[in-house]
Amino acid sequence: MTDATTRDKPMPATLESLADIRSWVFDLDDTLYPKHTGVFDQVGARIQLYLERHFSISPEEAVAVRRDYYRRHGTTLRGLIVEQGISPDAFLDFVHDIDHSPLAPDPALVAAIERLPGRRFVLTNGSRSHAERIMARIGLGDQFEDIFDIIRADFLPKPHPDTYRRFLGENAIDPTSAVMFEDLPRNLEVPKALGMATVLVVPRGESTVPAESWETTASTAHIDHLTDDLGAFLGRLNPRA
């Protein structure tokens, strides 16, 4: 484990490069709350269970289906819509039926977000109701101008370019004065190409881009900053605010 200075070392931009940011865009799961809470692991387990029941297959076979859909469609849900014609609402209700008790209020993160100059948004591949429940547990809500969820995206998930463009357009966001916070490296490629600054949020204690077996991204050129503590990172942007 490295110290905070090393963990938050820009790659290759400097923190000063965020001084002119006026639109702050956050992913939800494993980004606005730490991965070690295991909350999104619960969602993953529910997705797994859905696949086992829908296809009447073994857990091992469900893993293979989920990996295949993730690689070809971006999310399991998109794969099920395209290839199985399922009801997305029923799927979202099922996979988001989880225990939120591992999440605790995070006053440091809330305060840091409230001090950010400009507008704040959530852009998630989950549902708005899922996001609202998560954010309420953390202590977030009114700080954000919009929650752009998978339903608003017409079930076309990040990292599809059309979803980012729709989000930016509906909210009249200039990407050159915006930053995207994400826990998945592949979901930062399009924002960077559109002109946004990018911050990768990694698990606590990590100091490198995670090697996700389901990811295809090898380069880190599209990642400007990396941090394992979102609240502390945002706090350093306005240290005397």
Side-chain angles (χ1 to χ4, degrees):
M1 180 173 175
T2 56
D3 61 27
T5 301
T6 302
R7 289 198 303 268
D8 290 343
K9 183 178 180 180
M11 1 166 8
T14 64
L15 288 179
E16 288 74 18
S17 68
L18 301 179
D20 295 327
I21 295 297
R22 290 300 176 265
S23 294
W24 308 81
V25 186
F26 298 86
D27 173 52
L28 178 75
D29 290 303
D30 289 346
T31 297
L32 281 179
Y33 62 85
K35 183 178 177 62
H36 67 251
T37 62
V39 169
F40 194 68
D41 290 338
Q42 292 185 59
V43 176
R46 297 288 289 176
I47 293 173
Q48 187 83 6
L49 181 58
Y50 184 99
L51 292 173
E52 292 171 27
R53 293 179 177 178
H54 179 80
F55 290 105
S56 299
I57 57 178
S58 69
E60 293 76 18
E61 290 170 320
V63 168
V65 171
R66 186 180 176 194
R67 181 181 292 115
D68 176 56
Y69 279 0
Y70 180 86
R71 284 175 172 166
R72 293 192 293 115
H73 297 287
T75 61
T76 304
L77 173 57
R78 182 67 181 177
L80 287 166
I81 292 172
V82 172
E83 301 194 16
Q84 298 290 313
I86 69 154
S87 165
D89 292 336
F91 174 89
L92 290 169
D93 288 344
F94 183 85
V95 303
H96 291 152
D97 183 14
I98 60 172
D99 174 19
H100 296 89
S101 63
L103 292 169
D106 191 341
L109 175 64
V110 172
I113 289 177
E114 287 178 339
R115 290 195 298 264
L116 294 174
R119 308 158 71 200
R120 307 132 195 165
F121 305 88
V122 169
L123 174 57
T124 175
N125 280 344
S127 67
R128 182 184 184 95
S129 60
H130 172 64
E132 289 175 339
R133 288 193 294 268
I134 294 288
M135 294 164 71
R137 292 285 302 185
I138 299 170
L140 294 168
D142 294 342
Q143 299 87 350
F144 291 86
E145 183 172 323
D146 187 25
I147 298 173
F148 192 95
D149 70 348
I150 193 65
I151 300 170
R152 293 264 300 282
D154 197 24
F155 303 103
L156 190 62
K158 298 177 292 181
H160 198 286
D162 287 352
T163 294
Y164 296 96
R165 293 191 184 101
R166 178 180 295 188
F167 162 74
L168 293 170
E170 288 191 13
N171 286 288
I173 296 173
D174 175 3
T176 64
S177 62
V179 59
M180 180 82 202
F181 295 82
E182 258 281 358
D183 69 299
L184 297 178
R186 73 195 295 249
N187 287 351
L188 291 174
E189 291 182 354
V190 173
K192 184 64 177 178
L194 291 172
M196 299 175 71
T198 59
V199 181
L200 181 69
V201 181
V202 297
R204 294 285 170 88
E206 295 294 328
S207 59
T208 59
V209 176
E212 169 58 70
S213 60
W214 292 3
E215 297 289 348
T216 58
T217 298
S219 171
T220 61
H222 59 289
I223 301 171
D224 295 326
H225 304 273
L226 181 148
T227 183
D228 75 339
D229 188 331
L230 178 61
F233 179 88
L234 296 175
R236 278 187 280 277
L237 299 178
N238 296 286
R240 288 184 290 275

